[in-house]
Amino acid sequence: MEENVRAGRCVVAVDGPSGSGKSTVSRRLAAGIGARYLDTGAMYRAITWAVLRSGVDLTDAEAVAKVAGEVDLRIGTDPQGYGVTADGVSVDAEIRGPEVTASVSAVAAVPAVRALLVARQQEMIVNAGRIVVEGRDIGAVVAPDADLKVYLTASELARAARRSAEDAADAAATAADLARRDRLDSTRKVSPLQQAADAVVLDTTELGIDEVVQQLRDLLTERGVA
C-alpha cells in the first residue's frame, strides 16, 4: 500500500462497542483518504489465540503476560486486505472464532498485555503518519492527540443483528454475548471501553456505511486534514 498513502499526517481514532460498524467504516475511510488502517482488536485477538494455544490459565495474569511478551505478532495496515500472524501462523480466521471471542475480554484486561500492545500501536501510528485506528480506547489512551476522534454507537438490537448476520449466529445469543463483552470491557481497570471527552459521537443505527464514511470525511475536511 506504500504508493497509495498520501502525504500529510492524519490520525483518526474510531472507538465504540462491538457491532457499531467500526471495522467496515474504518477500512473504507482509510481507503478513501489514502491512509493506513489498524485494527487494534485483531491484535488482542491474536494474543488471545496464542494464550489459548499455550494452555495457560486465563486468570493467571503473569502467565498470560508472559505469552503476550513472547509471541511474534504481526499485523498488516492495508485497508484493502490486511493479515494477522502469530509466530508465523496466519490467524485471520481463527481469531474470529467463538473460542477467541469468548476469551479476548479477559486477556485484554491484563494490564501488562495492554501496556505492551498500546506501546506497539503508538509506534505504528507514528511510523504510518496517516492512519485510521479502530478499537475501544484509541481516542482516550492510544492516540489522545488524534486529528479526529469518533465514537460510533448503535442500538443494542441493531448491533446484535449486524453481528449475528456476520457470524450466522442466533441473534439472541449474539445480543447476550455483546452485552457481556461490553460490560467486561467498559469496567476493566486499565484502558476501559470509553468515549473520549472530545470525540464526535455518531449513532449508526439508522445510517448506511457510506453515509457514516461521508460524515467522517466531511469532518476531516472541516479540520483541513482530509
Side-chain angles (χ1 to χ4, degrees):
M1 182 183 167
E2 293 283 353
E3 66 279 5
N4 297 325
V5 179
R6 298 179 192 165
R9 178 186 183 278
C10 177
V11 178
V12 181
V14 183
D15 291 302
S18 299
S20 58
K22 294 193 307 294
S23 295
T24 303
V25 166
S26 297
R27 286 198 303 270
R28 290 196 190 178
L29 178 63
I33 65 172
R36 295 187 182 281
Y37 160 71
L38 179 59
D39 179 355
T40 64
M43 297 175 75
Y44 286 101
R45 284 174 171 273
I47 293 296
T48 301
W49 175 85
V51 169
L52 291 171
R53 186 180 66 163
S54 74
V56 304
D57 187 339
L58 291 179
T59 64
D60 187 339
E62 185 175 344
V64 169
K66 185 174 186 297
V67 173
E70 295 175 348
V71 66
D72 179 13
L73 171 63
R74 304 194 181 191
I75 182 168
T77 56
D78 184 343
Q80 303 291 2
Y82 69 98
V84 186
T85 64
D87 291 334
V89 178
S90 174
V91 293
D92 296 306
E94 288 79 0
I95 64 175
R96 304 299 174 184
E99 188 177 16
V100 168
T101 296
S103 305
V104 65
S105 289
V107 172
V110 176
V113 172
R114 297 206 75 80
L116 177 72
L117 292 188
V118 167
R120 176 86 176 273
Q121 291 154 12
Q122 291 175 331
E123 179 182 11
M124 294 177 74
I125 291 171
V126 170
N127 291 337
R130 192 171 184 85
I131 189 168
V132 178
V133 189
E134 64 140 309
R136 297 196 162 203
D137 63 344
I138 310 306
V141 176
V142 179
D145 60 344
D147 298 285
L148 173 63
K149 300 177 187 178
V150 184
Y151 189 87
L152 296 186
T153 187
S155 69
E156 292 184 4
L157 183 62
R159 294 195 293 118
R162 292 170 184 171
R163 186 50 55 88
S164 61
E166 291 175 1
D167 301 337
D170 176 73
T174 299
D177 184 60
L178 290 182
R180 177 189 66 82
R181 290 183 57 203
D182 288 344
R183 182 176 62 256
L184 290 173
D185 292 346
S186 61
T187 57
R188 64 178 176 238
K189 294 181 179 180
V190 180
S191 302
L193 163 63
Q194 59 184 310
Q195 173 192 324
D198 54 348
V200 174
V201 180
L202 190 55
D203 189 322
T204 67
T205 303
E206 303 295 336
L207 297 175
I209 296 298
D210 290 339
E211 292 177 285
V212 177
V213 172
Q214 188 57 56
Q215 287 195 35
L216 299 189
R217 293 194 69 166
D218 290 344
L219 288 170
L220 288 171
T221 298
E222 291 174 7
R223 287 165 168 72
V225 290

